[in-house]
Amino acid sequence: MCWFAPPVLAEEVRLRVLADPWCPYNCEPGSPRPGYVIELLQAALPPGNALDYRVVPWERALAETADGRADVALVVTSSGVERFGLVVGREPAGMAADCLFVATTSSVRSLRRQDLDRLKSVGIVAGYEYDGPIGAWLQNPAYKDRIRVTGGARPAEVNARNLALGRLDAVVEDAQVMQHVLLQLGLGAKVRQAGCQAAGPVYVGFSPRHPQARQLAERLDHAVQEQRRSGQLARLLTRYGLSDWK
């Protein structure tokens, strides 16, 4: 396999990066562990370039990146990329799997329709897109009154707390994100995973209005490939308790 130098940027850039907290993908801005995707993105930039990473509600992150008020949205599914016209590279920034989380005392044990139909209140996040059997169930008009949509800057934490307090029957969230939240909040004994869908790729989405969006996406591709080849990606992911998705 041949390895090529990343494309040169025409000028130094300061990227405005927006996301809601989705640790371990992207975590607390300014912390020693800001998230492995943030670290990958920073590594893709040449010296002198910087990230202005901020936590905002997810709907705002997508809207501002699409119209050019922000430069990057983290971390975006394939359907989100298509819907907002974002520019992405060939390399995903990971794999994410939507899972159903319930209280440890719940009798729900799977994603089968008969189990889902027993749920009376299900927490999801505003602006997120859900597919597969979970998405089909959520989109069924018959269950509209059972869906509780959470917005704000830290929706996963809000949903986890409400689930542990019995205010929700279930929460739909990425497996790695929810496990991190439960560990941080000390709720691991009160919440369990009932089932997960197949994982799909997630991407760093660059604004279609950024003049160097394609070059930036190619630089990130190169950074991921080079770090995977050198073993640096494996070391980075280990710091977050993860392994390579390929």
Side-chain angles (χ1 to χ4, degrees), residues 100 119-124 137-138 146-148 168 170-172:
L100 186 73
L119 300 172
K120 303 302 181 185
S121 56
V122 179
I124 63 173
W137 190 88
L138 292 172
R146 306 187 190 190
I147 310 306
R148 308 289 184 266
L168 293 171
V171 166
V172 180

Side-chain angles (χ1 to χ4, degrees), residues 38-240:
I38 287 290
E39 294 196 44
L40 277 175
L41 182 56
Q42 184 66 70
L45 298 177
N49 297 263
L51 302 181
D52 177 13
Y53 165 45
R54 303 183 184 184
V55 167
V56 301
W58 183 233
E59 290 178 305
R60 176 183 164 189
L62 288 171
E64 292 195 11
T65 303
D67 67 20
R69 285 177 288 166
D71 304 307
V72 182
L74 301 177
V75 174
V76 194
T77 62
S78 298
S79 56
V81 168
E82 182 177 354
R83 185 158 67 97
F84 287 89
L86 304 180
V87 177
V88 300
R90 298 180 305 276
E91 291 283 347
M95 298 288 286
D98 281 335
C99 299
L100 186 73
F101 290 88
V102 297
T104 52
T105 55
S106 173
S107 59
V108 172
R109 299 284 172 182
S110 74
L111 300 181
R112 293 178 301 177
R113 177 67 177 270
Q114 53 264 45
D115 270 345
L116 294 175
D117 283 352
R118 291 156 57 196
L119 300 172
K120 303 302 181 185
S121 56
V122 179
I124 63 173
V125 177
Y128 282 19
E129 298 185 355
Y130 303 92
D131 54 17
I134 290 178
W137 190 88
L138 292 172
Q139 293 164 23
N140 189 325
Y143 306 125
K144 181 179 180 180
D145 293 339
R146 306 187 190 190
I147 310 306
R148 308 289 184 266
V149 181
T150 302
R154 300 184 182 279
E157 292 184 14
V158 172
N159 281 343
R161 291 183 191 276
N162 284 336
L163 179 58
L165 290 170
R167 296 171 182 167
L168 293 171
D169 288 341
V171 166
V172 180
E173 186 54 84
D174 174 72
Q176 296 176 156
V177 172
M178 183 58 89
Q179 293 301 336
H180 175 81
V181 168
L182 295 177
L183 180 63
Q184 293 297 109
L185 299 181
L187 298 176
K190 296 184 177 182
V191 175
R192 65 172 173 82
Q193 184 176 292
C196 291
Q197 299 185 151
V202 287
Y203 298 90
V204 173
F206 295 93
S207 173
R209 305 226 173 180
H210 195 288
Q212 301 189 79
R214 178 50 56 191
Q215 292 97 318
L216 288 164
E218 290 175 0
R219 288 192 69 93
L220 182 58
D221 278 346
H222 182 273
V224 172
Q225 292 166 359
E226 180 59 25
Q227 289 202 16
R228 179 172 285 125
R229 183 194 64 79
S230 68
Q232 189 173 347
L233 178 60
R235 291 190 290 274
L236 170 62
L237 293 172
T238 297
R239 292 179 57 226
Y240 290 90

